[in-house]
Amino acid sequence: SINYDKIKEAAAYHPKPQDINYTYGTAGFRMKADLLDSVIFRVGILAVLRSKKLDSKTIGIMITASHNPEHDNGVKLVDPYGEMLEQSWENYATQLANAQTEDELVDVIKQIVSNNDIDESKPANIVYARDTRPSGPALVSALVDGLKSLNSKIIDFGVKTTPQLHYVTRCYNVQGTEDDYGEPTEEGYYKKLATAFRKVVEGKSRLTPIHIDAANGVGAPKMKELAKHIGDEYLEAVLVNDDYTTQGKLNYQCGADFVKTSQRLPFGSKIKHGDRAASFDGDADRIVYYYVDEDNTFKLLDGDKIAGLAGGFIIDLVKTAGLEGINVGVVQTAYANGSSTTYLEKVMNVPVSCVPTGVKHLHHEAEKYDIGVYFEANGHGTVLFSKKALKTIHSAEGQTAEQKEAIEKLRALTDLINQTVGDALSDLLLVEAILTNRQWSLKQWDQAYSDLPNRLVKVVVENRHIFKTTDAERKLLEPTGLQEQINELISKYKNGRSFVRPSGTEDVVRVYAEAATREECDELAYKVAGLVY
Ligand code: NG1
Ligand code: ZN
């Protein structure tokens, strides 16, 4: 059972700084790395409690701050099937992180144990990984101190992408069952994806090279490894911003977040008209595509475009395969471009749901469809196949050669897609597989619809918590009267849409606006920001 004196002793080496209030938000804990030592130690404790509670299932821990600056870091917990930590436990994480003294810490632990009827004697299993940040190793040692203070079985998965950690967590928990998800190793991950990719593109001509900006992060070495497993004859990947060892380069003027936010090429990219390019973020769980047009304009293919491409391809395969009983739906957030929603609903006739920001919301909504495609505009997303869909796809036989081929491709897609979480490597292969099948250029893909000009601005306010939203964050409830003022502004712009919400990861309020022209959009964003400030 739990030795509380041992915990106190270990915790004394990882004291909580005074005057800091930690919150486990949409992306776990995330902030300047030098404020995280005590937090990570305590996250280790929480993971052990969670594993004990879930009958010794393996819990994952990822140390990363994704697209944030290099001096930041963060940590989040991964539940047994590779999904985000159950929401009701986020509170425990926050409580543990904020316990000021060792005695308070032990009190919080005891409370979690008693609230959840945790059997203290149950063994605990943990797997953890980190990205390439220089602060990683020191934080790992704080984590291990936390884990060891409770005698858990620990697997160090090393330096990995966030989605690889999600993958391996699921693999450990379903190994040998009918839901087996693959070998719980990095090698197993590459083999699974590479084999599936080759199946989906077999017999089609290889596309021109894909130029990948890896944000100088962990995606660089991992993409190279994946490409080796796939083979040049199927995919030609050319990397830029693949220097993940020089300090100061991670996410600096490059990566998916930079490209999406600034709507221009990353530093170091030399693509010309006709080239195909994509950017990962710092932990390789987001991807956006882009190209330059004849007249040298930058064209972005973001998460909304990927959802449209993937949804369209899957719907076609389901139809061709004759699996009419399987429904396909798309899940977006308020940040999805209005044109993408119109295209999905009106042209593709797909049901679209809108949910609040945060992967867990998208993921849960996508689970309501037989095949649920979810993407945030920023390029984080994946496709979920329900048990029913998997069973149907794996047992279908097909009458004609055409049906058989469609069924084979759907089967391969269920392996190609990382269903635990958005995954830049897996999503890249998904897009490449679809474009190879369709023999489409990025421009042809882009022609489905044109994005409305849009603008995202940050407003620093005294207290962002006074902003309360409803309707999947598209409307403000509080401060009272503000939404009416925003509505009045919006009504003056053609195709105008705008909303305001507090960020869950930064101390700012975000203002989003879109309108028929760039000028009108910028004006609307500026005026709404003026109301908030
Ligand atoms: P916040 O800071 O709550 O807007 C940001 C992203 C989310 C999501 C999370 C987690 C935008 C506008 N927001 O959330 O989509 O990715 O970070 O990393 O891109
Ligand atoms: Zn990320």
mmCIF file of all heavy atoms in Angstrom, residues 206-247:
data_model
loop_
_atom_site.group_PDB
_atom_site.id
_atom_site.type_symbol
_atom_site.label_atom_id
_atom_site.label_comp_id
_atom_site.label_asym_id
_atom_site.label_seq_id
_atom_site.Cartn_x
_atom_site.Cartn_y
_atom_site.Cartn_z
ATOM 1 N N ARG A 206 3.487 7.320 -58.061
ATOM 2 C CA ARG A 206 3.969 8.121 -56.931
ATOM 3 C C ARG A 206 3.849 9.609 -57.259
ATOM 4 O O ARG A 206 4.047 10.025 -58.397
ATOM 5 C CB ARG A 206 5.434 7.771 -56.659
ATOM 6 C CG ARG A 206 5.969 8.381 -55.390
ATOM 7 C CD ARG A 206 7.460 8.172 -55.243
ATOM 8 N NE ARG A 206 8.197 8.959 -56.233
ATOM 9 C CZ ARG A 206 9.524 9.021 -56.297
ATOM 10 N NH1 ARG A 206 10.253 8.316 -55.451
ATOM 11 N NH2 ARG A 206 10.125 9.750 -57.213
ATOM 12 N N LEU A 207 3.539 10.408 -56.239
ATOM 13 C CA LEU A 207 3.433 11.858 -56.436
ATOM 14 C C LEU A 207 4.828 12.490 -56.438
ATOM 15 O O LEU A 207 5.815 11.833 -56.121
ATOM 16 C CB LEU A 207 2.607 12.470 -55.305
ATOM 17 C CG LEU A 207 1.178 11.962 -55.136
ATOM 18 C CD1 LEU A 207 0.561 12.560 -53.865
ATOM 19 C CD2 LEU A 207 0.314 12.322 -56.348
ATOM 20 N N THR A 208 4.879 13.786 -56.737
ATOM 21 C CA THR A 208 6.142 14.530 -56.637
ATOM 22 C C THR A 208 6.522 14.628 -55.156
ATOM 23 O O THR A 208 5.694 14.364 -54.280
ATOM 24 C CB THR A 208 5.967 15.937 -57.240
ATOM 25 O OG1 THR A 208 4.915 16.595 -56.534
ATOM 26 C CG2 THR A 208 5.634 15.860 -58.729
ATOM 27 N N PRO A 209 7.759 15.037 -54.852
ATOM 28 C CA PRO A 209 8.189 15.041 -53.434
ATOM 29 C C PRO A 209 7.298 15.907 -52.555
ATOM 30 O O PRO A 209 6.751 16.905 -53.001
ATOM 31 C CB PRO A 209 9.592 15.646 -53.495
ATOM 32 C CG PRO A 209 10.048 15.454 -54.885
ATOM 33 C CD PRO A 209 8.835 15.452 -55.752
ATOM 34 N N ILE A 210 7.193 15.496 -51.287
ATOM 35 C CA ILE A 210 6.516 16.344 -50.310
ATOM 36 C C ILE A 210 7.615 16.989 -49.438
ATOM 37 O O ILE A 210 8.432 16.307 -48.844
ATOM 38 C CB ILE A 210 5.476 15.552 -49.470
ATOM 39 C CG1 ILE A 210 4.824 16.447 -48.439
ATOM 40 C CG2 ILE A 210 6.031 14.301 -48.834
ATOM 41 C CD1 ILE A 210 3.863 17.452 -48.984
ATOM 42 N N HIS A 211 7.603 18.332 -49.421
ATOM 43 C CA HIS A 211 8.588 19.088 -48.640
ATOM 44 C C HIS A 211 8.026 19.291 -47.246
ATOM 45 O O HIS A 211 6.976 19.914 -47.087
ATOM 46 C CB HIS A 211 8.849 20.446 -49.294
ATOM 47 C CG HIS A 211 9.478 20.329 -50.650
ATOM 48 N ND1 HIS A 211 10.828 20.452 -50.865
ATOM 49 C CD2 HIS A 211 8.931 20.054 -51.870
ATOM 50 C CE1 HIS A 211 11.095 20.278 -52.151
ATOM 51 N NE2 HIS A 211 9.962 20.040 -52.776
ATOM 52 N N ILE A 212 8.705 18.750 -46.250
ATOM 53 C CA ILE A 212 8.165 18.792 -44.886
ATOM 54 C C ILE A 212 9.001 19.691 -43.977
ATOM 55 O O ILE A 212 10.205 19.477 -43.810
ATOM 56 C CB ILE A 212 8.109 17.370 -44.269
ATOM 57 C CG1 ILE A 212 7.240 16.456 -45.134
ATOM 58 C CG2 ILE A 212 7.577 17.431 -42.842
ATOM 59 C CD1 ILE A 212 7.357 14.979 -44.767
ATOM 60 N N ASP A 213 8.340 20.679 -43.395
ATOM 61 C CA ASP A 213 8.952 21.531 -42.367
ATOM 62 C C ASP A 213 8.635 20.873 -41.026
ATOM 63 O O ASP A 213 7.478 20.817 -40.620
ATOM 64 C CB ASP A 213 8.343 22.940 -42.496
ATOM 65 C CG ASP A 213 8.309 23.715 -41.189
ATOM 66 O OD1 ASP A 213 9.195 23.517 -40.347
ATOM 67 O OD2 ASP A 213 7.385 24.550 -41.032
ATOM 68 N N ALA A 214 9.668 20.367 -40.356
ATOM 69 C CA ALA A 214 9.438 19.604 -39.118
ATOM 70 C C ALA A 214 9.569 20.480 -37.872
ATOM 71 O O ALA A 214 9.697 19.959 -36.759
ATOM 72 C CB ALA A 214 10.381 18.413 -39.047
ATOM 73 N N ALA A 215 9.542 21.817 -38.024
ATOM 74 C CA ALA A 215 9.572 22.747 -36.885
ATOM 75 C C ALA A 215 10.823 22.583 -36.025
ATOM 76 O O ALA A 215 10.843 22.994 -34.877
ATOM 77 C CB ALA A 215 8.297 22.611 -36.036
ATOM 78 N N ASN A 216 11.848 21.946 -36.573
ATOM 79 C CA ASN A 216 13.078 21.630 -35.828
ATOM 80 C C ASN A 216 12.766 20.832 -34.568
ATOM 81 O O ASN A 216 13.407 21.011 -33.520
ATOM 82 C CB ASN A 216 13.855 22.905 -35.481
ATOM 83 C CG ASN A 216 14.394 23.592 -36.728
ATOM 84 O OD1 ASN A 216 14.988 22.950 -37.592
ATOM 85 N ND2 ASN A 216 14.153 24.889 -36.851
ATOM 86 N N GLY A 217 11.779 19.978 -34.678
ATOM 87 C CA GLY A 217 11.352 19.213 -33.509
ATOM 88 C C GLY A 217 11.461 17.716 -33.721
ATOM 89 O O GLY A 217 12.070 17.233 -34.696
ATOM 90 N N VAL A 218 10.815 17.003 -32.847
ATOM 91 C CA VAL A 218 10.904 15.543 -32.793
ATOM 92 C C VAL A 218 10.327 14.880 -34.059
ATOM 93 O O VAL A 218 10.679 13.755 -34.409
ATOM 94 C CB VAL A 218 10.210 15.028 -31.503
ATOM 95 C CG1 VAL A 218 8.715 15.341 -31.514
ATOM 96 C CG2 VAL A 218 10.437 13.553 -31.294
ATOM 97 N N GLY A 219 9.464 15.618 -34.761
ATOM 98 C CA GLY A 219 8.910 15.076 -36.005
ATOM 99 C C GLY A 219 9.970 14.811 -37.056
ATOM 100 O O GLY A 219 9.774 13.964 -37.943
ATOM 101 N N ALA A 220 11.109 15.517 -36.978
ATOM 102 C CA ALA A 220 12.152 15.372 -37.996
ATOM 103 C C ALA A 220 12.757 13.961 -38.008
ATOM 104 O O ALA A 220 12.645 13.248 -39.009
ATOM 105 C CB ALA A 220 13.215 16.448 -37.828
ATOM 106 N N PRO A 221 13.383 13.540 -36.899
ATOM 107 C CA PRO A 221 13.961 12.194 -36.932
ATOM 108 C C PRO A 221 12.905 11.109 -37.117
ATOM 109 O O PRO A 221 13.161 10.080 -37.753
ATOM 110 C CB PRO A 221 14.640 12.050 -35.565
ATOM 111 C CG PRO A 221 13.990 13.067 -34.686
ATOM 112 C CD PRO A 221 13.631 14.204 -35.592
ATOM 113 N N LYS A 222 11.709 11.336 -36.576
ATOM 114 C CA LYS A 222 10.675 10.298 -36.654
ATOM 115 C C LYS A 222 10.118 10.176 -38.076
ATOM 116 O O LYS A 222 9.818 9.077 -38.535
ATOM 117 C CB LYS A 222 9.542 10.583 -35.657
ATOM 118 C CG LYS A 222 10.007 10.781 -34.215
ATOM 119 C CD LYS A 222 10.885 9.649 -33.702
ATOM 120 C CE LYS A 222 11.259 9.845 -32.236
ATOM 121 N NZ LYS A 222 12.324 8.911 -31.802
ATOM 122 N N MET A 223 9.993 11.308 -38.761
ATOM 123 C CA MET A 223 9.513 11.249 -40.148
ATOM 124 C C MET A 223 10.538 10.536 -41.021
ATOM 125 O O MET A 223 10.178 9.758 -41.909
ATOM 126 C CB MET A 223 9.257 12.672 -40.676
ATOM 127 C CG MET A 223 8.681 12.706 -42.084
ATOM 128 S SD MET A 223 7.037 11.929 -42.196
ATOM 129 C CE MET A 223 7.189 10.975 -43.723
ATOM 130 N N LYS A 224 11.832 10.783 -40.749
ATOM 131 C CA LYS A 224 12.881 10.113 -41.535
ATOM 132 C C LYS A 224 12.799 8.603 -41.344
ATOM 133 O O LYS A 224 12.933 7.838 -42.296
ATOM 134 C CB LYS A 224 14.265 10.630 -41.124
ATOM 135 C CG LYS A 224 14.536 12.022 -41.691
ATOM 136 C CD LYS A 224 15.898 12.555 -41.289
ATOM 137 C CE LYS A 224 15.963 14.047 -41.656
ATOM 138 N NZ LYS A 224 17.153 14.711 -41.110
ATOM 139 N N GLU A 225 12.581 8.212 -40.111
ATOM 140 C CA GLU A 225 12.481 6.783 -39.806
ATOM 141 C C GLU A 225 11.261 6.174 -40.512
ATOM 142 O O GLU A 225 11.354 5.118 -41.131
ATOM 143 C CB GLU A 225 12.360 6.640 -38.279
ATOM 144 C CG GLU A 225 12.817 5.351 -37.699
ATOM 145 C CD GLU A 225 14.184 4.898 -38.183
ATOM 146 O OE1 GLU A 225 15.163 5.699 -38.160
ATOM 147 O OE2 GLU A 225 14.263 3.730 -38.609
ATOM 148 N N LEU A 226 10.149 6.882 -40.450
ATOM 149 C CA LEU A 226 8.923 6.398 -41.095
ATOM 150 C C LEU A 226 9.129 6.269 -42.605
ATOM 151 O O LEU A 226 8.742 5.257 -43.213
ATOM 152 C CB LEU A 226 7.762 7.364 -40.786
ATOM 153 C CG LEU A 226 6.428 7.068 -41.466
ATOM 154 C CD1 LEU A 226 5.884 5.695 -41.054
ATOM 155 C CD2 LEU A 226 5.377 8.139 -41.111
ATOM 156 N N ALA A 227 9.761 7.281 -43.200
ATOM 157 C CA ALA A 227 9.982 7.265 -44.652
ATOM 158 C C ALA A 227 10.837 6.068 -45.053
ATOM 159 O O ALA A 227 10.610 5.447 -46.099
ATOM 160 C CB ALA A 227 10.628 8.573 -45.099
ATOM 161 N N LYS A 228 11.824 5.723 -44.204
ATOM 162 C CA LYS A 228 12.677 4.553 -44.484
ATOM 163 C C LYS A 228 11.827 3.281 -44.543
ATOM 164 O O LYS A 228 12.035 2.422 -45.386
ATOM 165 C CB LYS A 228 13.714 4.377 -43.368
ATOM 166 C CG LYS A 228 15.052 5.020 -43.664
ATOM 167 C CD LYS A 228 16.066 4.550 -42.630
ATOM 168 C CE LYS A 228 16.703 5.754 -41.965
ATOM 169 N NZ LYS A 228 17.330 5.441 -40.671
ATOM 170 N N HIS A 229 10.879 3.179 -43.623
ATOM 171 C CA HIS A 229 10.023 1.992 -43.593
ATOM 172 C C HIS A 229 9.093 1.931 -44.802
ATOM 173 O O HIS A 229 8.682 0.858 -45.214
ATOM 174 C CB HIS A 229 9.190 1.952 -42.300
ATOM 175 C CG HIS A 229 9.969 1.492 -41.116
ATOM 176 N ND1 HIS A 229 10.854 2.307 -40.447
ATOM 177 C CD2 HIS A 229 10.014 0.285 -40.484
ATOM 178 C CE1 HIS A 229 11.399 1.626 -39.446
ATOM 179 N NE2 HIS A 229 10.908 0.398 -39.445
ATOM 180 N N ILE A 230 8.719 3.094 -45.325
ATOM 181 C CA ILE A 230 7.794 3.119 -46.457
ATOM 182 C C ILE A 230 8.526 2.823 -47.761
ATOM 183 O O ILE A 230 8.045 2.043 -48.586
ATOM 184 C CB ILE A 230 7.094 4.493 -46.538
ATOM 185 C CG1 ILE A 230 6.167 4.654 -45.334
ATOM 186 C CG2 ILE A 230 6.310 4.628 -47.847
ATOM 187 C CD1 ILE A 230 5.580 6.046 -45.196
ATOM 188 N N GLY A 231 9.670 3.445 -47.916
ATOM 189 C CA GLY A 231 10.455 3.223 -49.137
ATOM 190 C C GLY A 231 10.223 4.319 -50.159
ATOM 191 O O GLY A 231 9.090 4.760 -50.365
ATOM 192 N N ASP A 232 11.326 4.708 -50.808
ATOM 193 C CA ASP A 232 11.329 5.778 -51.816
ATOM 194 C C ASP A 232 10.372 5.562 -52.970
ATOM 195 O O ASP A 232 9.906 6.510 -53.583
ATOM 196 C CB ASP A 232 12.729 5.854 -52.436
ATOM 197 C CG ASP A 232 13.579 6.838 -51.703
ATOM 198 O OD1 ASP A 232 13.049 7.468 -50.767
ATOM 199 O OD2 ASP A 232 14.765 6.967 -52.065
ATOM 200 N N GLU A 233 10.136 4.303 -53.273
ATOM 201 C CA GLU A 233 9.303 4.054 -54.459
ATOM 202 C C GLU A 233 7.831 4.405 -54.199
ATOM 203 O O GLU A 233 7.049 4.524 -55.124
ATOM 204 C CB GLU A 233 9.483 2.624 -54.974
ATOM 205 C CG GLU A 233 9.078 1.489 -54.033
ATOM 206 C CD GLU A 233 10.104 1.141 -52.944
ATOM 207 O OE1 GLU A 233 10.857 2.015 -52.468
ATOM 208 O OE2 GLU A 233 10.122 -0.032 -52.531
ATOM 209 N N TYR A 234 7.484 4.620 -52.926
ATOM 210 C CA TYR A 234 6.101 4.965 -52.602
ATOM 211 C C TYR A 234 5.936 6.422 -52.171
ATOM 212 O O TYR A 234 4.878 7.012 -52.338
ATOM 213 C CB TYR A 234 5.573 4.079 -51.463
ATOM 214 C CG TYR A 234 5.418 2.638 -51.853
ATOM 215 C CD1 TYR A 234 6.437 1.713 -51.612
ATOM 216 C CD2 TYR A 234 4.249 2.202 -52.474
ATOM 217 C CE1 TYR A 234 6.287 0.381 -51.968
ATOM 218 C CE2 TYR A 234 4.094 0.864 -52.830
ATOM 219 C CZ TYR A 234 5.112 -0.029 -52.581
ATOM 220 O OH TYR A 234 4.958 -1.345 -52.930
ATOM 221 N N LEU A 235 6.976 6.970 -51.539
ATOM 222 C CA LEU A 235 6.854 8.318 -50.988
ATOM 223 C C LEU A 235 8.228 8.974 -50.949
ATOM 224 O O LEU A 235 9.186 8.388 -50.452
ATOM 225 C CB LEU A 235 6.301 8.253 -49.556
ATOM 226 C CG LEU A 235 6.149 9.597 -48.837
ATOM 227 C CD1 LEU A 235 4.896 10.323 -49.316
ATOM 228 C CD2 LEU A 235 6.068 9.398 -47.323
ATOM 229 N N GLU A 236 8.287 10.199 -51.488
ATOM 230 C CA GLU A 236 9.554 10.919 -51.427
ATOM 231 C C GLU A 236 9.395 12.107 -50.492
ATOM 232 O O GLU A 236 8.720 13.077 -50.827
ATOM 233 C CB GLU A 236 9.930 11.383 -52.838
ATOM 234 C CG GLU A 236 11.410 11.563 -53.008
ATOM 235 C CD GLU A 236 11.752 12.096 -54.404
ATOM 236 O OE1 GLU A 236 10.995 11.853 -55.358
ATOM 237 O OE2 GLU A 236 12.776 12.791 -54.509
ATOM 238 N N ALA A 237 9.984 12.014 -49.308
ATOM 239 C CA ALA A 237 9.855 13.080 -48.310
ATOM 240 C C ALA A 237 11.166 13.854 -48.235
ATOM 241 O O ALA A 237 12.224 13.276 -48.037
ATOM 242 C CB ALA A 237 9.526 12.475 -46.950
ATOM 243 N N VAL A 238 11.069 15.183 -48.401
ATOM 244 C CA VAL A 238 12.252 16.047 -48.304
ATOM 245 C C VAL A 238 12.058 16.941 -47.085
ATOM 246 O O VAL A 238 11.072 17.680 -47.017
ATOM 247 C CB VAL A 238 12.384 16.927 -49.564
ATOM 248 C CG1 VAL A 238 13.630 17.802 -49.469
ATOM 249 C CG2 VAL A 238 12.400 16.065 -50.822
ATOM 250 N N LEU A 239 12.985 16.869 -46.120
ATOM 251 C CA LEU A 239 12.776 17.635 -44.880
ATOM 252 C C LEU A 239 13.546 18.955 -44.846
ATOM 253 O O LEU A 239 14.688 19.023 -45.292
ATOM 254 C CB LEU A 239 13.155 16.781 -43.666
ATOM 255 C CG LEU A 239 11.979 15.952 -43.141
ATOM 256 C CD1 LEU A 239 11.736 14.726 -43.985
ATOM 257 C CD2 LEU A 239 12.185 15.577 -41.692
ATOM 258 N N VAL A 240 12.887 19.990 -44.327
ATOM 259 C CA VAL A 240 13.583 21.216 -43.931
ATOM 260 C C VAL A 240 13.252 21.448 -42.455
ATOM 261 O O VAL A 240 12.337 20.814 -41.916
ATOM 262 C CB VAL A 240 13.159 22.463 -44.750
ATOM 263 C CG1 VAL A 240 13.576 22.317 -46.194
ATOM 264 C CG2 VAL A 240 11.669 22.731 -44.636
ATOM 265 N N ASN A 241 13.983 22.361 -41.831
ATOM 266 C CA ASN A 241 13.790 22.593 -40.395
ATOM 267 C C ASN A 241 13.779 21.263 -39.642
ATOM 268 O O ASN A 241 12.853 20.953 -38.900
ATOM 269 C CB ASN A 241 12.512 23.387 -40.134
ATOM 270 C CG ASN A 241 12.573 24.758 -40.782
ATOM 271 O OD1 ASN A 241 13.633 25.354 -40.886
ATOM 272 N ND2 ASN A 241 11.434 25.245 -41.248
ATOM 273 N N ASP A 242 14.849 20.501 -39.882
ATOM 274 C CA ASP A 242 14.974 19.188 -39.252
ATOM 275 C C ASP A 242 16.119 19.186 -38.248
ATOM 276 O O ASP A 242 16.612 18.141 -37.856
ATOM 277 C CB ASP A 242 15.181 18.104 -40.316
ATOM 278 C CG ASP A 242 16.412 18.361 -41.173
ATOM 279 O OD1 ASP A 242 16.979 19.480 -41.089
ATOM 280 O OD2 ASP A 242 16.806 17.459 -41.932
ATOM 281 N N ASP A 243 16.551 20.386 -37.832
ATOM 282 C CA ASP A 243 17.646 20.487 -36.865
ATOM 283 C C ASP A 243 17.064 20.515 -35.452
ATOM 284 O O ASP A 243 16.745 21.572 -34.919
ATOM 285 C CB ASP A 243 18.456 21.753 -37.154
ATOM 286 C CG ASP A 243 19.603 21.933 -36.174
ATOM 287 O OD1 ASP A 243 19.748 21.080 -35.260
ATOM 288 O OD2 ASP A 243 20.330 22.927 -36.313
ATOM 289 N N TYR A 244 16.944 19.374 -34.858
ATOM 290 C CA TYR A 244 16.282 19.291 -33.550
ATOM 291 C C TYR A 244 17.290 19.270 -32.413
ATOM 292 O O TYR A 244 16.919 19.081 -31.261
ATOM 293 C CB TYR A 244 15.371 18.055 -33.489
ATOM 294 C CG TYR A 244 16.085 16.739 -33.657
ATOM 295 C CD1 TYR A 244 16.467 15.985 -32.554
ATOM 296 C CD2 TYR A 244 16.389 16.256 -34.926
ATOM 297 C CE1 TYR A 244 17.140 14.790 -32.705
ATOM 298 C CE2 TYR A 244 17.064 15.062 -35.090
ATOM 299 C CZ TYR A 244 17.436 14.334 -33.982
ATOM 300 O OH TYR A 244 18.105 13.148 -34.142
ATOM 301 N N THR A 245 18.575 19.484 -32.734
ATOM 302 C CA THR A 245 19.572 19.447 -31.663
ATOM 303 C C THR A 245 20.128 20.836 -31.320
ATOM 304 O O THR A 245 20.566 21.054 -30.193
ATOM 305 C CB THR A 245 20.754 18.514 -32.025
ATOM 306 O OG1 THR A 245 21.270 18.914 -33.295
ATOM 307 C CG2 THR A 245 20.313 17.068 -32.078
ATOM 308 N N THR A 246 20.098 21.773 -32.271
ATOM 309 C CA THR A 246 20.616 23.105 -31.963
ATOM 310 C C THR A 246 19.606 23.868 -31.118
ATOM 311 O O THR A 246 18.440 23.993 -31.498
ATOM 312 C CB THR A 246 20.887 23.895 -33.260
ATOM 313 O OG1 THR A 246 21.768 23.135 -34.078
ATOM 314 C CG2 THR A 246 21.507 25.255 -32.966
ATOM 315 N N GLN A 247 20.057 24.410 -29.987
ATOM 316 C CA GLN A 247 19.137 25.126 -29.106
ATOM 317 C C GLN A 247 18.632 26.405 -29.755
ATOM 318 O O GLN A 247 19.352 27.066 -30.490
ATOM 319 C CB GLN A 247 19.840 25.458 -27.794
ATOM 320 C CG GLN A 247 20.026 24.204 -26.940
ATOM 321 C CD GLN A 247 20.048 24.520 -25.455
ATOM 322 O OE1 GLN A 247 19.667 25.591 -25.026
ATOM 323 N NE2 GLN A 247 20.478 23.538 -24.672
#
